[in-house]
Amino acid sequence: MLKYAMIGGGPGAFVGGVHRRALALNGQARLVAGCFSRDLEKSRVLGRELELDGDRVYATPEELARLEAGDVDFAVVVTSNEAHYPNVKACLLSGINVMCDKPFTHTSAQAEELVRLARERRLVLAVTYTYAGYPMVRQMREMIARGDVGEVRFVNCEYPQGWLAEPVETSGNVQASWRTDPERSGGVLSLGDVGTHVEYLVPHVTGLTLTRLAARLDSLVEGRTLDDNGVILTEYDTGARGVYWYSQAATGTVNGLRLRVFGDRGGLEWFQEDPDHLRYTPINEPARIITRGTPELLPGAMAYSHTPAGHPEGWLLAFANIYKSFCDTIATGAAMDFPTGEDGLRGVRFMEACLQSSRQGTAWIDIP
Amino acid sequence: MLKYAMIGGGPGAFVGGVHRRALALNGQARLVAGCFSRDLEKSRVLGRELELDGDRVYATPEELARLEAGDVDFAVVVTSNEAHYPNVKACLLSGINVMCDKPFTHTSAQAEELVRLARERRLVLAVTYTYAGYPMVRQMREMIARGDVGEVRFVNCEYPQGWLAEPVETSGNVQASWRTDPERSGGVLSLGDVGTHVEYLVPHVTGLTLTRLAARLDSLVEGRTLDDNGVILTEYDTGARGVYWYSQAATGTVNGLRLRVFGDRGGLEWFQEDPDHLRYTPINEPARIITRGTPELLPGAMAYSHTPAGHPEGWLLAFANIYKSFCDTIATGAAMDFPTGEDGLRGVRFMEACLQSSRQGTAWIDIP
Amino acid sequence: MLKYAMIGGGPGAFVGGVHRRALALNGQARLVAGCFSRDLEKSRVLGRELELDGDRVYATPEELARLEAGDVDFAVVVTSNEAHYPNVKACLLSGINVMCDKPFTHTSAQAEELVRLARERRLVLAVTYTYAGYPMVRQMREMIARGDVGEVRFVNCEYPQGWLAEPVETSGNVQASWRTDPERSGGVLSLGDVGTHVEYLVPHVTGLTLTRLAARLDSLVEGRTLDDNGVILTEYDTGARGVYWYSQAATGTVNGLRLRVFGDRGGLEWFQEDPDHLRYTPINEPARIITRGTPELLPGAMAYSHTPAGHPEGWLLAFANIYKSFCDTIATGAAMDFPTGEDGLRGVRFMEACLQSSRQGTAWIDIP
Amino acid sequence: MLKYAMIGGGPGAFVGGVHRRALALNGQARLVAGCFSRDLEKSRVLGRELELDGDRVYATPEELARLEAGDVDFAVVVTSNEAHYPNVKACLLSGINVMCDKPFTHTSAQAEELVRLARERRLVLAVTYTYAGYPMVRQMREMIARGDVGEVRFVNCEYPQGWLAEPVETSGNVQASWRTDPERSGGVLSLGDVGTHVEYLVPHVTGLTLTRLAARLDSLVEGRTLDDNGVILTEYDTGARGVYWYSQAATGTVNGLRLRVFGDRGGLEWFQEDPDHLRYTPINEPARIITRGTPELLPGAMAYSHTPAGHPEGWLLAFANIYKSFCDTIATGAAMDFPTGEDGLRGVRFMEACLQSSRQGTAWIDIP
């Protein structure tokens, strides 16, 4: 069994628990060390709760990285966004593989540096774009790759949420507060939080490469200076086109990531709130509902499907699947089939291009 | 009972039959005269089938307009798009009220002239934006007007179809052929066919006025020169924003007009393929499914709801509702609560602005 | 164009208007005579509104039947249930074809007599089991007939409504009052109103013949003596089995007729509140959503599909389809493809068997 | 952290892995001993894989029970059905708390004995009726308890699956083989496998007590002697009534457990394949979609909701929730809020009553 350390994820930090549960589910890795909080005492309390050896709870990420190098197989970085860069860097410099929460870093320069460090040291560096872990997202990717929709012509990907439809950041919501603080969020709000999931998912699933975009970022809620909504026109290397919409001010929506792909031989639709199903319509034929766990699943999807058809999996298992692939690579050298640092870098560049386009009146920006 | 004449809608013309059935459903008006086809003989055959007096089938729209003036209460113009302008004009000049199919005219100059003629002659001039006839679209409009979603901040309206995902115009599909012929379609394909429905519906339902747009029109199917897909960024008088997407090359979609409105107090969603239901989510509360025919319906919606809840109405009844309101105005002077020539003019201007924006690289265009 | 008379359907009688609108939609028959109400004056008012010749509004059904024999092609009987028998009989005795609302009669003896009369006089006698008119119900029937689900093994048909979940009959609801009056309703409440639709639909769609049943009729609402809910176990000639559930006290349901058929090669599901779609699952394959108006439609369904795919039809068009087939038979001698008097008789016998079984403690009753 | 042993769940036994993953997810208990297979060598291989101490893999359940008494907090019994009774008994006799897979035992005499043993020894004895673990099932229970639907009048609970629609037991399917072997399955097939879930769920959620039933068990697939389908009419202590339908021969269905409850003030509907949502319709009001993770959740549901709204949970988390409650009781003496041995006993009695009723021609059987 692999051994890992966690940086961040202290008491009250929701996402840390998610990473730990996802890893526990898989049974491939055991938590052995941590620096869960800036407050060492809090860290220790959680360490005891998690039955860690007392010596292996650290005051700083740097200390953890230094002393655990060689003793852990990887570190999980789940601090708030602004601390991703220094923490990941500390781990990489100590020769520790890293799984980093998304969005990756504030600037593409930071991301480039981390990617370079990982490459130089032959370390595994991954980013938790969770939705790629869903079996039906893998199914979609494989179906497109083998030509089930023909040549992709148009992609519509949207990700509306509604939980920032009120100015909750002014009334004590912790999650909202740091996200709407430009310093801590990197100059973007919802683009980093939900927009980057869209950015990652589309090329991952379709195989397309984004070449140009034109964006308008919106601040829909009065008094908010960062974006809580945005629309992005896209163009890809093959000539295919698309539109992205993301929002956290879409009142009444919950977590509505939806990906629709239209090719010359068929169309595909997947909705995150009903993740076990995929709607596939071969051109001029009835729509088909493909269900996770059935013989329709292609090998790459089936390998990540765990419970029988009709016994819903869900978000936590998707999360676990990202880790499954990550751990397989570390443990056995299996090919990397998870979002990498390069993907994280691409996501940061995307955000920078969107900001630039929006500031220039929805100008078209080329993606290098 | 009112009396009407029909121009166009000859044998094989699907939409003419729809107009006649919608009027028959209402029982408010009787067909008494027609010029159904450029071919008088074909016109006569249909006239006999419809039990018209033989004298009242005409060789040309102009003749019909001249001789029926005073004998009919209104004329229905359902010819192909390029003939709307001369036919409507002939009727108006003879003093006949007109219901014209959409899109209204090829150029805004034509539309302006027709609107001016109708106004000068105090004639009723209407355009069949069918979807406004659905009771739940009326419900949505009334709910927004009374503040159920608070101030509207963002609108997402999409209208994907898939029937032009293949180049059917090259293989003998009549509907596709004239639509893809620039001469007969006015320089736009899907923008006129489905995009204008979106354009009409959004301000109709929300009360917003479009002030700026930036559009990218796409020709997704190889060899096609006109648009079969498009994305339009929008801004409104109140500062609200939106995005429209229309397509006739969205493989696997059917007739997916969907309107979502997000306000600061709630959200609304309506989907044309399930027209009897409306999803309403007051902020921080569970979504509610409002069903046509129940006591939740507001008066303006209830007046156009005909069958009990759970006994689905549909597109033809929506069509009939446009005529119901139109006939009420003609028969009793009731306030005009249907799409008018002014709306048709606004639609043509919208198309012109989209074309201009798209040609200028998605430049922002002000709407006067 | 055919000519017809209407018996019943006076002011305030909802279903009379539905029959007239359905006939107007088709454009195959024109209303020329009526006895709309027991109150001649009320009848005359409606007659004028409908532009009938004053002489052709009658004081009694018998008078209408006598004087219109030879002048009308058929009569529509839409009175309350207890008057179906005498009115249909009067028409048949005068040699007039009849469309009768459902449920057909109070007793099987009455129904047998009417069926015998029609047969002897070679008259067309039909009953409006509306749901058979939906194109997708026809599609289901044709798919089963050609073997798409293999041999049918089990049928689950349910029809829950919720509008009698309160004792509305005690607070002035007219529809509820006569239905809950044993004299006027024939000893059954919801079994006649909704249960008979289930009874008709299952053999119509599957081709099965009911041979045995065991029923429990329930009065769920306090103070009600007639059934407002019921469950019926069924067995068919082929050995197939089934279960029916009907209710008008299913709080929160609307008009939820749902038919599911399970064969050894596939399954089918149709839901009346979404009537344009059919869910078909070939065994061990993904479910397919078959949409009305697409090339998947088999000939018998396509012939009754009127608007393009994605432009929802609905209940009124289903109603019109029953009349279309009925008028085709009268006008051209086309084969009867609509619910007949024999079907109505079978429905009355079914109700009698259900009552008997329920009174005998859910005993099994053979169907002759 | 608690310690547990597992009996059954060897290589290839799907459900053993599910229990282990559910427990790992919770992080409340650690596997320390096992007798995974009748073949000790297979057991040892799995033990090594799971990093168990070699001494703690046992040849027989009895040996495990004897030697681990005092060292483990509970045992998990996940053998095939016929071995539940001896294995649970061995554990209880050694003073070990037990979680047993369902269906509990073959006969009610066995179940009574186990329940008695547990009571005498004050041991915790639980049965994994998984579906009770879903947060929205808990929500439904709490809503009914506080009166949201008023007095419950009717319950419709169905559980169709399709995986036994072919005689897969004759072609080597292991799961199907032992289930269709009367010796190993206890004389019932689908009644034990899916019917008992229905039996458990209805009183658990509604608070009703079943007093009478009448059942017809069907063998729909040719050549099968045990039931693969069944319909059960029910009556409860309050006078409420219901119908259950279960099937494993419902071609085209997946895992369609659906519970609908109708009261005099509202209705509730929950569908296992979309477990995060609950449809609640207060009488005469629009339906509401209650989503897991929102403030609508009542305390007992919220305590078992783990991920934010719109991030789907699923079957494995429901499973984990059963264990969460079970472990809480063992660790802290928290009140038992999970399916117990008494529930298992009630389930066995239910099956016996269904068999008796069906053999006697759907006779009514009183439940003591």
Side-chain angles (χ1 to χ4, degrees):
Chain A
M1 200 177 279
L2 300 173
K3 288 171 286 179
Y4 75 96
M6 177 168 278
I7 297 171
F14 168 73
V15 85
V18 169
H19 284 250
R20 290 192 298 268
R21 297 187 90 188
L23 282 156
L25 240 173
N26 287 341
Q28 293 176 291
R30 187 168 48 225
L31 178 66
V32 296
C35 168
F36 304 112
S37 167
R38 289 192 177 84
D39 177 335
L40 179 58
E41 204 36 56
K42 282 189 184 167
S43 248
R44 284 182 173 146
V45 169
L46 182 58
R48 275 191 295 274
E49 201 178 291
L50 297 169
E51 304 193 346
L52 291 194
D53 177 343
D55 294 349
R56 301 179 80 171
V57 176
Y58 299 90
T60 67
E62 290 73 21
E63 194 185 2
L64 180 149
R66 192 158 30 87
L67 295 175
E68 291 288 343
D71 289 328
V72 295
D73 295 290
F74 63 92
V76 172
V77 174
V78 287
T79 56
S80 61
N81 292 355
E82 82 276 15
H84 287 174
Y85 166 68
N87 293 336
V88 173
K89 185 171 172 182
C91 293
L92 294 175
L93 288 173
S94 296
I96 302 174
N97 299 306
V98 179
M99 174 66 83
C100 179
D101 213 33
K102 56 116 306 250
F104 192 31
T105 61
H106 277 189
T107 70
S108 56
Q110 294 171 336
E112 281 160 13
E113 183 186 349
L114 297 180
V115 166
R116 188 173 43 73
L117 280 175
R119 198 179 299 128
E120 287 169 4
R121 283 157 176 74
R122 298 175 182 275
L123 293 168
V124 182
L125 173 58
V127 180
T128 48
Y129 288 110
T130 320
Y131 300 115
Y134 276 115
M136 298 317 277
V137 168
R138 290 176 169 269
Q139 173 76 8
M140 210 169 172
R141 183 174 57 153
E142 286 195 68
M143 288 177 69
I144 291 171
R146 75 166 183 188
D148 284 5
V149 303
E151 191 184 354
V152 174
R153 289 165 170 167
F154 194 76
V155 179
N156 184 317
C157 192
E158 66 181 32
Y159 193 166
Q161 293 184 335
W163 70 285
L164 293 180
E166 290 181 301
V168 286
E169 62 267 35
T170 63
S171 55
N173 182 308
V174 176
Q175 293 286 329
S177 293
W178 73 256
R179 280 185 170 87
T180 55
D181 174 349
E183 274 306 296
R184 301 186 64 193
S185 67
V188 293
L189 172 50
S190 305
L191 181 58
D193 208 17
V194 292
T196 50
H197 279 296
V198 170
E199 183 279 329
Y200 175 72
L201 209 57
V202 171
H204 172 70
V205 166
T206 61
L208 297 172
T209 299
L210 183 67
T211 52
R212 291 215 306 161
L213 64 78
R216 184 192 65 195
L217 309 193
D218 309 307
S219 298
L220 297 181
V221 174
E222 216 179 314
R224 192 170 281 158
T225 53
L226 297 180
D227 66 297
D228 51 20
N229 189 86
V231 180
I232 301 147
L233 303 178
T234 58
E235 296 184 11
Y236 306 92
D237 54 340
T238 62
R241 296 179 166 195
V243 62
Y244 302 166
W245 170 50
Y246 70 87
S247 187
Q248 293 186 305
T251 321
T253 62
V254 186
N255 195 37
L257 175 61
R258 185 184 300 270
L259 174 56
R260 289 178 281 183
V261 176
F262 304 99
D264 62 359
R265 304 311 309 155
L268 277 166
E269 176 171 2
W270 177 79
F271 182 45
Q272 191 275 149
E273 296 186 20
D274 180 24
D276 273 4
H277 299 104
L278 186 59
R279 188 181 180 101
Y280 168 50
T281 312
I283 195 164
N284 302 326
E285 293 188 23
R288 288 155 201 213
I289 309 299
I290 301 178
T291 300
R292 189 195 52 71
T294 64
E296 293 303 303
L297 258 62
L298 296 171
M302 193 55 103
Y304 289 83
S305 169
H306 305 286
T307 62
H311 297 69
E313 295 192 353
W315 183 71
L316 198 58
L317 274 77
F319 221 106
N321 282 339
I322 300 288
Y323 270 111
K324 175 181 184 327
S325 179
F326 175 75
C327 290
D328 284 350
T329 295
I330 291 176
T332 71
M336 296 195 290
D337 189 17
F338 50 83
T340 63
E342 274 84 357
D343 295 317
L345 165 59
R346 201 188 63 208
V348 179
R349 283 182 178 145
F350 170 80
M351 290 193 280
E352 289 172 346
C354 287
L355 274 170
Q356 184 188 349
S357 171
S358 191
R359 283 173 187 151
Q360 297 177 6
T362 317
W364 285 98
I365 306 293
D366 290 325
I367 306 294
Chain B
M1 200 177 278
L2 300 173
K3 289 171 287 181
Y4 76 95
M6 177 168 277
I7 296 171
F14 168 74
V15 85
V18 169
H19 283 250
R20 291 192 297 268
R21 297 187 90 190
L23 282 155
L25 240 174
N26 287 343
Q28 292 176 293
R30 187 167 49 225
L31 178 66
V32 297
C35 167
F36 303 111
S37 167
R38 289 194 177 84
D39 176 336
L40 180 57
E41 204 36 57
K42 283 189 183 168
S43 249
R44 282 183 174 144
V45 169
L46 182 59
R48 275 192 295 276
E49 199 179 294
L50 297 169
E51 304 195 347
L52 291 196
D53 178 342
D55 294 349
R56 300 179 81 172
V57 176
Y58 299 91
T60 67
E62 292 71 22
E63 193 185 4
L64 180 148
R66 190 160 28 93
L67 295 174
E68 290 289 343
D71 288 329
V72 295
D73 295 289
F74 63 93
V76 171
V77 174
V78 286
T79 55
S80 60
N81 292 356
E82 82 276 13
H84 287 174
Y85 166 69
N87 293 337
V88 172
K89 186 172 173 180
C91 292
L92 294 175
L93 288 173
S94 296
I96 302 174
N97 300 307
V98 179
M99 174 66 82
C100 179
D101 213 31
K102 58 119 298 255
F104 191 31
T105 62
H106 276 188
T107 70
S108 56
Q110 293 169 337
E112 280 160 12
E113 183 185 350
L114 297 180
V115 166
R116 188 175 42 74
L117 280 174
R119 197 178 300 127
E120 287 169 4
R121 283 158 176 72
R122 298 174 180 275
L123 293 169
V124 181
L125 173 58
V127 180
T128 47
Y129 288 110
T130 320
Y131 300 114
Y134 276 115
M136 298 316 276
V137 168
R138 291 177 168 268
Q139 174 75 7
M140 212 170 172
R141 183 173 59 153
E142 286 195 70
M143 288 178 69
I144 291 171
R146 76 167 182 186
D148 283 6
V149 302
E151 191 184 353
V152 174
R153 289 165 170 166
F154 194 77
V155 179
N156 183 317
C157 192
E158 66 180 33
Y159 193 165
Q161 292 184 335
W163 71 284
L164 294 179
E166 290 183 301
V168 286
E169 61 268 34
T170 63
S171 56
N173 181 308
V174 176
Q175 293 285 329
S177 294
W178 73 256
R179 280 183 168 88
T180 54
D181 175 347
E183 274 307 294
R184 301 186 65 193
S185 66
V188 292
L189 172 50
S190 304
L191 181 60
D193 209 16
V194 292
T196 50
H197 280 295
V198 170
E199 182 279 328
Y200 175 71
L201 208 56
V202 171
H204 171 69
V205 165
T206 61
L208 297 172
T209 299
L210 183 68
T211 53
R212 292 215 305 162
L213 65 77
R216 184 193 63 195
L217 308 193
D218 309 308
S219 298
L220 297 182
V221 174
E222 216 180 314
R224 194 169 278 157
T225 54
L226 297 179
D227 65 296
D228 51 21
N229 189 85
V231 180
I232 302 146
L233 303 178
T234 58
E235 296 184 11
Y236 306 93
D237 55 340
T238 62
R241 297 179 165 196
V243 62
Y244 302 165
W245 170 49
Y246 70 87
S247 187
Q248 293 186 306
T251 321
T253 63
V254 185
N255 196 38
L257 176 60
R258 185 185 298 271
L259 174 55
R260 288 178 281 182
V261 177
F262 303 99
D264 61 1
R265 305 310 310 155
L268 278 165
E269 177 170 1
W270 178 78
F271 181 45
Q272 192 275 150
E273 296 185 22
D274 181 24
D276 274 5
H277 299 105
L278 186 58
R279 188 181 180 101
Y280 168 50
T281 312
I283 194 164
N284 302 326
E285 293 188 22
R288 289 158 199 211
I289 310 300
I290 302 178
T291 300
R292 189 195 52 70
T294 65
E296 293 302 302
L297 258 62
L298 296 172
M302 194 56 103
Y304 289 83
S305 169
H306 305 285
T307 61
H311 298 69
E313 295 191 352
W315 181 71
L316 199 58
L317 273 78
F319 221 105
N321 281 340
I322 301 287
Y323 269 112
K324 175 182 183 328
S325 178
F326 175 75
C327 290
D328 284 349
T329 294
I330 291 175
T332 71
M336 295 196 290
D337 189 17
F338 49 82
T340 64
E342 275 84 358
D343 295 316
L345 166 58
R346 201 188 62 209
V348 178
R349 285 180 177 147
F350 170 80
M351 290 193 281
E352 291 172 346
C354 287
L355 274 170
Q356 185 188 347
S357 171
S358 191
R359 283 171 187 154
Q360 298 176 6
T362 317
W364 284 99
I365 306 294
D366 290 325
I367 307 294
Chain C
M1 199 177 281
L2 300 174
K3 289 171 286 180
Y4 75 96
M6 177 168 277
I7 296 171
F14 168 74
V15 85
V18 169
H19 283 250
R20 291 192 297 268
R21 298 187 89 188
L23 282 156
L25 238 174
N26 286 343
Q28 293 176 293
R30 186 168 49 226
L31 178 67
V32 297
C35 169
F36 303 110
S37 167
R38 290 194 176 83
D39 176 337
L40 181 57
E41 203 35 58
K42 283 189 184 168
S43 248
R44 282 180 174 145
V45 168
L46 182 60
R48 275 193 294 275
E49 201 179 292
L50 297 169
E51 304 194 348
L52 291 196
D53 177 342
D55 294 349
R56 299 180 81 172
V57 175
Y58 299 91
T60 67
E62 292 72 21
E63 193 185 4
L64 179 148
R66 191 159 30 89
L67 295 174
E68 290 289 342
D71 287 329
V72 295
D73 295 289
F74 63 93
V76 172
V77 174
V78 286
T79 55
S80 60
N81 292 356
E82 82 277 13
H84 287 174
Y85 166 68
N87 293 336
V88 173
K89 186 172 172 179
C91 291
L92 294 175
L93 287 173
S94 295
I96 302 175
N97 299 307
V98 179
M99 174 66 82
C100 180
D101 213 31
K102 58 115 300 251
F104 191 31
T105 61
H106 278 190
T107 70
S108 55
Q110 293 171 336
E112 281 161 14
E113 184 185 349
L114 298 179
V115 165
R116 189 177 40 75
L117 280 174
R119 198 179 299 129
E120 286 169 4
R121 282 159 176 73
R122 298 174 181 276
L123 293 170
V124 182
L125 173 57
V127 180
T128 47
Y129 288 111
T130 320
Y131 300 114
Y134 276 115
M136 297 317 275
V137 169
R138 291 177 167 269
Q139 173 76 8
M140 210 169 173
R141 183 173 59 153
E142 286 196 69
M143 288 177 70
I144 291 171
R146 76 166 182 186
D148 284 6
V149 302
E151 191 186 350
V152 173
R153 290 166 171 166
F154 195 77
V155 180
N156 183 317
C157 191
E158 66 180 34
Y159 193 165
Q161 293 184 336
W163 71 284
L164 293 180
E166 291 182 301
V168 287
E169 61 269 34
T170 63
S171 56
N173 182 308
V174 175
Q175 294 285 328
S177 293
W178 75 257
R179 281 185 169 88
T180 55
D181 175 348
E183 275 306 296
R184 303 186 64 192
S185 66
V188 293
L189 172 49
S190 305
L191 181 59
D193 208 16
V194 293
T196 49
H197 279 295
V198 171
E199 183 279 328
Y200 175 71
L201 209 55
V202 171
H204 172 69
V205 166
T206 62
L208 297 172
T209 299
L210 183 67
T211 53
R212 292 214 306 161
L213 64 77
R216 184 192 63 195
L217 308 194
D218 309 306
S219 297
L220 297 181
V221 174
E222 215 180 313
R224 192 169 279 157
T225 54
L226 297 179
D227 66 296
D228 51 19
N229 190 83
V231 181
I232 301 147
L233 304 179
T234 58
E235 296 183 12
Y236 306 92
D237 54 340
T238 62
R241 298 181 164 194
V243 62
Y244 301 167
W245 169 49
Y246 71 87
S247 187
Q248 294 187 305
T251 321
T253 63
V254 185
N255 196 38
L257 176 61
R258 185 185 299 270
L259 174 56
R260 289 178 281 181
V261 177
F262 304 99
D264 62 0
R265 305 310 309 155
L268 278 166
E269 176 171 1
W270 179 78
F271 182 45
Q272 192 275 151
E273 296 185 21
D274 181 23
D276 273 4
H277 300 104
L278 186 59
R279 187 181 180 100
Y280 168 50
T281 313
I283 195 163
N284 302 326
E285 293 189 22
R288 288 156 201 214
I289 309 300
I290 302 179
T291 300
R292 190 195 51 70
T294 64
E296 294 301 303
L297 259 60
L298 296 172
M302 194 55 105
Y304 289 83
S305 168
H306 304 286
T307 61
H311 298 69
E313 295 191 352
W315 182 72
L316 198 58
L317 274 77
F319 220 106
N321 282 340
I322 300 287
Y323 269 112
K324 174 180 184 327
S325 178
F326 175 76
C327 290
D328 284 350
T329 294
I330 291 175
T332 71
M336 295 196 290
D337 189 17
F338 50 83
T340 64
E342 274 85 358
D343 294 316
L345 165 58
R346 201 188 61 209
V348 178
R349 284 182 178 147
F350 170 80
M351 290 193 281
E352 290 172 346
C354 288
L355 273 169
Q356 185 188 348
S357 171
S358 190
R359 283 173 187 151
Q360 299 176 4
T362 316
W364 284 99
I365 306 293
D366 288 327
I367 305 294
Chain D
M1 199 177 278
L2 300 174
K3 290 172 285 180
Y4 76 97
M6 176 168 278
I7 297 172
F14 168 73
V15 86
V18 169
H19 284 251
R20 291 192 297 268
R21 298 187 91 189
L23 282 156
L25 239 173
N26 286 343
Q28 293 176 291
R30 187 168 49 224
L31 178 66
V32 296
C35 168
F36 303 112
S37 167
R38 288 192 178 85
D39 176 337
L40 180 59
E41 204 36 58
K42 282 190 183 166
S43 249
R44 283 182 173 145
V45 169
L46 183 58
R48 276 192 293 273
E49 201 178 293
L50 297 169
E51 305 193 348
L52 291 195
D53 178 343
D55 294 347
R56 300 179 81 174
V57 175
Y58 299 90
T60 68
E62 291 72 22
E63 194 185 2
L64 180 149
R66 191 158 30 88
L67 295 174
E68 290 288 343
D71 287 330
V72 296
D73 295 290
F74 62 94
V76 171
V77 174
V78 286
T79 56
S80 61
N81 291 356
E82 81 277 14
H84 287 175
Y85 167 67
N87 294 336
V88 173
K89 186 171 171 180
C91 292
L92 294 176
L93 287 174
S94 297
I96 302 174
N97 299 306
V98 178
M99 173 65 83
C100 180
D101 214 32
K102 58 117 299 256
F104 191 31
T105 61
H106 277 189
T107 71
S108 55
Q110 294 170 336
E112 280 160 15
E113 184 186 349
L114 298 179
V115 165
R116 188 174 43 75
L117 280 175
R119 198 180 298 128
E120 286 169 3
R121 283 157 174 71
R122 297 175 182 276
L123 294 169
V124 182
L125 173 57
V127 180
T128 47
Y129 288 111
T130 320
Y131 300 115
Y134 275 116
M136 299 316 276
V137 168
R138 291 175 168 269
Q139 173 76 7
M140 210 170 173
R141 183 174 58 153
E142 286 197 70
M143 288 177 68
I144 291 171
R146 74 165 185 187
D148 284 6
V149 302
E151 192 185 352
V152 173
R153 289 166 170 166
F154 194 77
V155 179
N156 184 316
C157 192
E158 66 181 34
Y159 192 165
Q161 294 184 335
W163 70 285
L164 294 180
E166 290 182 300
V168 286
E169 61 268 34
T170 64
S171 55
N173 181 309
V174 176
Q175 293 286 328
S177 294
W178 73 258
R179 280 185 168 88
T180 55
D181 175 348
E183 274 307 295
R184 302 186 65 192
S185 67
V188 294
L189 171 52
S190 305
L191 181 58
D193 209 16
V194 293
T196 50
H197 280 296
V198 170
E199 183 279 330
Y200 175 72
L201 209 56
V202 171
H204 172 70
V205 166
T206 61
L208 297 172
T209 299
L210 183 67
T211 53
R212 291 213 308 160
L213 65 77
R216 185 192 63 195
L217 309 194
D218 308 308
S219 297
L220 298 181
V221 173
E222 215 179 313
R224 192 170 281 158
T225 54
L226 297 180
D227 65 295
D228 51 19
N229 190 84
V231 180
I232 301 147
L233 303 179
T234 58
E235 296 183 11
Y236 306 93
D237 55 340
T238 62
R241 297 180 166 196
V243 62
Y244 302 166
W245 169 50
Y246 71 87
S247 187
Q248 294 187 305
T251 322
T253 62
V254 186
N255 195 38
L257 176 61
R258 185 184 298 270
L259 174 56
R260 290 177 281 181
V261 176
F262 304 100
D264 62 358
R265 306 311 307 155
L268 277 166
E269 176 171 0
W270 178 78
F271 181 45
Q272 191 273 151
E273 296 185 21
D274 181 23
D276 273 5
H277 299 103
L278 186 59
R279 188 180 179 100
Y280 168 51
T281 313
I283 195 164
N284 302 325
E285 293 190 21
R288 287 154 203 216
I289 309 300
I290 301 179
T291 300
R292 191 195 51 72
T294 64
E296 293 303 302
L297 257 63
L298 296 172
M302 193 56 102
Y304 290 83
S305 170
H306 305 286
T307 61
H311 298 69
E313 294 191 354
W315 182 72
L316 198 58
L317 275 77
F319 221 104
N321 283 338
I322 301 288
Y323 270 111
K324 174 181 184 328
S325 179
F326 175 75
C327 290
D328 284 349
T329 294
I330 291 175
T332 71
M336 294 196 291
D337 189 17
F338 50 83
T340 63
E342 275 85 357
D343 295 317
L345 165 58
R346 202 188 62 209
V348 179
R349 285 183 177 145
F350 170 81
M351 290 193 281
E352 290 172 346
C354 288
L355 273 170
Q356 185 188 349
S357 171
S358 191
R359 284 172 187 151
Q360 299 176 5
T362 317
W364 284 98
I365 307 294
D366 289 326
I367 306 294

